[in-house]
Amino acid sequence: SEGRWDEFSAQNLANMAWAYTTAQETRHSLLRGIADAAIKKHDEFTHQGFSNLLWAYAAAGHPHQRLFSALAPSVAEVLDTCNGQSLANIAWAFAVSNVNDELLFSDRFVDVCSSKIDEFNSEGLCQLHQWNIWRAEIGSDKVLPPMIAKKCYTQFTSQPLQGSNLQSDAMKVLTSMDLHPIEEVQTESGYCLDFVVNVDGEELGIEVDGPHHFVGRDPTGSTLLKRRHVENVDRIPIISLPYWE
């Protein structure tokens, strides 16, 4: 069916992309086919369709930039119909894709998010915080109002820490190398690094990346976004220790 994507409705395309990403399938040709068909049907998506489709590409670690660029004007047209979850998914997905569209992310986007902030659940507030970090990353002045930014930051930094056996093993190795690792370090932007070490006067972040950080051997969108933000905004280089090494 990979050659017949044009026969599917916009909603079906969004549902399939969401389903494959949720199942952690890594079929690049399938995602390319859905993207090409979705671009042709850009004016047929609901806000939920856009939300599911764009989240799927971002979460899978395949932020198809041509897709995001092509859909952005149509997403802008349905902003007022979006609920909190759709706004959060759209904001986060564009942050992962690193595609800035000034028509979509104007003062109006900030106003819509602000007016519906009570609809955002804890995950949505975290996604909106990452969108706000992205605005700083690209030097945009279209950012969340201070009170809402603080609300999102507080939620983002209050997530429970999840240690692992891999992290414990890494701690032993780093300690044996006389690197004096500091564990669970929160950066200025709010991310938590597994370890920070000092090498020749430079801080390095070390992330012990378990299976949930990958789809196959490709980093997920969340993993890519964290690495990018810590390196570009917090100015801390990241070394990844994947679970298979």
Side-chain angles (χ1 to χ4, degrees), residues 132-238:
N132 214 38
I133 298 174
W134 174 50
R135 309 313 289 166
E137 180 187 15
I138 63 175
S140 172
D141 61 353
K142 307 302 182 189
V143 297
L144 298 173
M147 289 295 291
I148 291 178
K150 183 178 180 181
K151 180 184 179 78
C152 294
Y153 174 85
T154 299
Q155 184 62 50
F156 189 75
T157 55
S158 65
Q159 301 302 297
L161 300 177
Q162 296 179 335
S164 67
N165 291 333
L166 284 172
Q167 193 168 329
S168 298
D169 292 342
M171 180 69 168
K172 294 174 185 175
V173 172
L174 294 171
T175 301
S176 72
M177 296 169 66
D178 288 332
L179 289 173
H180 308 292
I182 304 172
E183 198 169 10
E184 305 293 1
V185 176
Q186 183 178 299
T187 70
E188 187 175 343
S189 67
Y191 286 101
C192 188
L193 299 177
D194 292 336
F195 302 103
V196 169
V197 298
N198 192 297
V199 178
D200 297 329
E202 181 182 20
E203 276 192 331
L204 295 177
I206 298 178
E207 288 284 273
V208 183
D209 291 331
H212 71 281
H213 289 275
F214 300 92
V215 180
R217 293 290 176 94
D218 297 324
T220 64
S222 293
T223 302
L224 292 171
L225 186 61
K226 179 178 181 179
R227 291 177 186 173
R228 208 182 77 217
H229 281 169
V230 171
E231 292 187 344
N232 294 345
V233 179
D234 294 308
R235 301 297 182 185
I236 301 174
I238 294 290

Side-chain angles (χ1 to χ4, degrees), residues 3-21:
R4 301 169 57 189
W5 296 117
D6 291 347
E7 298 177 15
F8 292 96
S9 69
Q11 190 61 52
N12 284 340
L13 291 171
N15 290 346
M16 283 186 288
W18 180 89
Y20 275 105
T21 294

Side-chain angles (χ1 to χ4, degrees), residues 16-17 19-28 30-31 60 62 215-216:
M16 283 186 288
Y20 275 105
T21 294
T22 303
Q24 295 203 312
E25 290 281 344
T26 54
R27 296 174 63 181
H28 296 215
L30 179 146
L31 290 174
H62 292 285
V215 180

Side-chain angles (χ1 to χ4, degrees), residues 47-52 81-91 120:
H47 71 83
Q48 185 176 6
F50 282 128
S51 169
N52 289 349
T81 68
C82 287
N83 57 24
Q85 182 176 7
S86 289
L87 288 168
N89 283 345
I90 288 166
F120 286 72

Side-chain angles (χ1 to χ4, degrees), residues 47 51 79-92 109 112-128:
H47 71 83
S51 169
L79 270 187
D80 292 329
T81 68
C82 287
N83 57 24
Q85 182 176 7
S86 289
L87 288 168
N89 283 345
I90 288 166
W92 181 82
F109 183 85
V112 172
C113 287
S114 299
S115 68
K116 299 185 179 184
I117 197 64
D118 290 338
E119 295 182 20
F120 286 72
N121 60 17
S122 59
E123 182 182 0
L125 291 173
C126 290
Q127 289 174 307
L128 202 54

